[in-house]
Amino acid sequence: MKTVSENRAFGGVQGVYSHASTATGGEMTFGLFLPEGAEDGPVPLVWFLSGLTCTHENAMVKSNAQRWAAEAGVAVVFPDTSPRGEGVANDAAFDLGQGAGFYVNATQKPWAPHFRMWDYVTDELPRLLFNAFPLAEEAQAITRHSMGGHGALTIAMSFPGRFKSVSAFAPICHPTASDWGRKQFAAYLGKDESTWAGHDATLLMRKRGFDGPILVDQGSSDQFVDLLKPEALAEAMAARRQGGAVRLQKGYDHSYFFVSTFMEEHIGFHAKALYG
């Protein structure tokens, strides 16, 4: 692992690190904010999975997560959204290829050799983090934005007991019924739609739910709301009587202005679950 940069922030340290990844077959970069309390021992960890076109840097710079994480005494990790570099398949469209990994393990050409973001985020990167930094493996939460919201919800429901809480900003809630999902799943996973269900938050909610609290915020003026389908997840949560909330925030769009506005509430939501 290489240290790209480390900067003092809100009493803690915002670092950027890179490493050779077995899962993706190339160099991966991530950001990690450690609060001041990490100097004395392991601290809880909140995962922030970003959305389409993003790198590790977008949420790290724009979400203001470090301010509230420092107050709550939790670390925040910002993984990249896809493999990158020479020899990694790409597409001219913004919603496929580099910057659009969709947190799945691709099985189709030309994506399969590198696009294994499910394994990277759920296995390889956690092992690296808990070996290298003062983080409490038993105290994890996960949040995200847009495509990352899709990833956070599906990962949280697929690993019972790993995460104390899950939240999302404008997540892709029902990708098997949306052009933000069907296109990518067909490319990465193939045309057999039975292989898609494990990556659809609405279908997973109907099938198994989440063993903790959920918080989802959606802007009422989000230009992509018809692709995100928050109503499908809300209906599935209500039918299952899942503990949690899907909130419609009047006038907000899909941007990081929206995310940063409600970041304090989301970090507080996770801190409450993490610290019991």
Side-chain angles (χ1 to χ4, degrees):
M1 188 174 65
K2 303 173 186 177
T3 299
V4 177
S5 63
E6 289 183 334
N7 298 95
R8 199 72 174 166
F10 300 101
V13 176
Q14 175 61 64
V16 176
Y17 310 93
S18 66
H19 68 102
S21 167
T22 300
T24 66
E27 194 82 359
M28 296 295 292
T29 302
F30 66 91
L32 176 67
F33 174 73
L34 290 172
E36 189 173 10
E39 297 174 6
D40 300 319
V43 295
L45 176 65
V46 176
W47 292 77
F48 193 111
L49 305 185
S50 291
L52 287 167
T53 75
C54 291
T55 69
H56 70 281
E57 191 174 38
N58 295 74
M60 188 180 80
V61 173
K62 297 179 180 181
S63 70
N64 205 25
Q66 296 89 340
R67 175 182 177 182
W68 309 117
E71 287 193 10
V74 300
V76 183
V77 63
F78 306 93
D80 202 347
T81 56
S82 77
R84 299 179 190 275
E86 187 177 351
V88 176
N90 202 8
D91 191 271
F94 76 95
D95 57 355
L96 189 67
Q98 296 185 36
F102 261 77
Y103 304 99
V104 301
N105 285 340
T107 60
Q108 306 299 303
K109 295 180 180 180
W111 315 104
H114 299 284
F115 281 74
R116 302 189 62 82
M117 289 302 295
W118 181 270
D119 281 354
Y120 178 70
V121 171
T122 67
D123 180 42
E124 184 176 35
L125 184 55
R127 285 190 284 109
L128 186 154
L129 290 173
F130 293 116
N131 284 330
F133 299 98
L135 302 168
E137 188 170 1
E138 72 280 4
Q140 298 181 66
I142 189 166
T143 186
R144 63 294 74 22
H145 176 225
S146 192
M147 178 187 72
H150 138 76
L153 289 166
T154 57
I155 289 170
M157 285 187 276
S158 297
F159 290 87
R162 179 179 294 194
F163 301 99
K164 302 293 186 182
S165 51
V166 59
S167 75
F169 299 92
I172 301 173
C173 295
H174 197 8
T176 62
S178 168
D179 287 342
W180 271 3
R182 295 189 62 82
K183 171 185 176 180
Q184 293 79 9
F185 290 172
Y188 295 145
L189 303 177
K191 295 182 179 180
D192 180 0
E193 296 188 18
S194 67
T195 66
W196 302 359
H199 297 287
D200 187 306
T202 294
L203 299 182
L204 286 173
M205 179 58 64
R206 293 172 185 169
K207 181 178 180 180
R208 64 178 70 150
F210 176 62
D211 55 351
I214 295 177
L215 175 62
V216 174
D217 275 320
Q218 171 65 57
S220 68
S221 297
D222 191 319
Q223 59 271 44
F224 304 115
V225 68
D226 290 339
L227 293 166
L228 303 173
K229 300 190 178 299
E231 67 282 355
L233 179 64
E235 290 169 4
M237 288 176 63
R240 191 174 184 83
R241 294 173 174 81
Q242 169 73 48
V246 177
R247 309 188 304 189
L248 194 63
Q249 302 292 358
K250 185 173 178 58
Y252 286 90
D253 57 19
H254 199 71
S255 70
Y256 270 95
F257 295 111
F258 161 58
V259 172
S260 62
T261 297
F262 297 98
M263 181 57 70
E264 178 184 9
E265 291 185 49
H266 282 245
I267 293 292
F269 167 77
H270 291 302
K272 181 178 179 181
L274 290 166
Y275 282 107

